[in-house]
Amino acid sequence: METDKILVQSLNLRYGTKHALKHVSMKISGRSVTAFIGPSGCGKSTFLRCLNRMNDHIEGVRIDGKVLLDGEDIYDRRVDTTLLRKKVGMVFQQPNPFPMSIYDNIAYGPRLHGIKSKQELDGIVEEALKGAAIHEEVKDRLKKSALDLSGGQQQRLCIARALAVHPEVLLMDEPTSALDPVSTMKVEELVKGLKEKYTVIIVTHNMQQAARVSDHTAFFLEGEVVEFGPAGSIFSRPKDRRTEDYIMGRFG
């Protein structure tokens, strides 16, 4: 039985005079994959970053509305954003491993949150690397620099780094756009497996990818959610003409 992990109510975001997100409301199920699609500049990545308050760092941003995670409003001023981002992890478009060893990349977050025991860190590193389907490829070179890995391996390492702090939600902003087709397929397979434990939300410009990996899909256009529902329905029987036009490649 799917339950609502995230409930968004009438979220608006403005950068100065630009109204970038308009009255966005959405229920995101736990332990599922939700994809956001839409043309460039439609608000999908901006909305993704609202879900762990990454937009807080941008000057002049104003946000109103509610984002409830397990029933608690993440925009309540008492919320500790460090703990929020532990619970809601993020993987970016470009792989961004730290210039340190593979092991230290994974252990970085747990150490930050107070874990010191080598035995415990060893276990976390192994579990995270297995969770990101990269353990077999790197287990014999954990002390080597993460920067020596291929692009696809670096992205899976970044996914492992996010998993190491035991998040509940994983946000992925076009995680395969910088990768070759083989690496893309590995990350897609990984995403489908991750929903057994995590709530995964992925922004993608690749509609075939959204159709392959997601349970639910939201189509964004000019800062609004035009349509949101089961992926099968969105891609085969869209209710809104604009969704159909986008999926059929008539614009975007």
Side-chain angles (χ1 to χ4, degrees), residues 77-122:
R77 58 189 54 177
R78 291 167 297 191
V79 166
D80 179 335
T81 52
T82 305
L83 290 178
L84 171 67
R85 291 183 194 128
K86 180 177 184 288
K87 205 172 182 181
V88 185
M90 183 123 188
V91 175
F92 297 93
Q93 190 169 353
Q94 293 289 341
N96 59 343
F98 302 140
M100 51 179 73
S101 72
I102 292 167
Y103 183 98
D104 287 338
N105 262 272
I106 308 300
Y108 183 87
R111 282 175 178 143
L112 204 64
H113 291 286
I115 294 172
K116 299 282 187 282
S117 148
K118 183 179 183 313
Q119 189 179 357
E120 196 175 348
L121 287 169
D122 287 351

Side-chain angles (χ1 to χ4, degrees), residues 61-79:
V61 162
R62 296 195 320 286
I63 296 171
D64 60 74
K66 285 193 168 175
V67 178
L68 304 176
L69 174 64
D70 294 327
E72 291 184 26
D73 187 359
I74 69 169
Y75 282 92
D76 187 305
R77 58 189 54 177
R78 291 167 297 191
V79 166

Side-chain angles (χ1 to χ4, degrees), residues 16 67 149 153 171-172 177 189 219:
V67 178
L149 297 173
Q153 289 174 323
L171 309 178
M172 308 179 96
S177 66
E189 285 303 314
F219 170 53

Side-chain angles (χ1 to χ4, degrees), residues 7-74:
L7 178 62
V8 182
Q9 298 172 319
S10 199
L11 186 84
N12 288 279
L13 181 143
R14 293 174 175 84
Y15 302 101
T17 57
K18 180 175 165 56
H19 196 174
L21 291 173
K22 302 165 189 166
H23 311 293
V24 175
S25 294
M26 189 182 295
K27 290 179 179 177
I28 295 174
S29 302
R31 297 200 176 180
S32 65
V33 180
T34 300
F36 299 161
I37 61 169
S40 293
C42 66
K44 55 191 189 292
S45 290
T46 300
F47 180 60
L48 187 78
R49 290 195 298 269
C50 287
L51 303 178
N52 71 346
R53 291 185 50 176
M54 289 291 275
N55 293 317
D56 286 18
H57 302 305
I58 300 169
E59 208 173 319
V61 162
R62 296 195 320 286
I63 296 171
D64 60 74
K66 285 193 168 175
V67 178
L68 304 176
L69 174 64
D70 294 327
E72 291 184 26
D73 187 359
I74 69 169

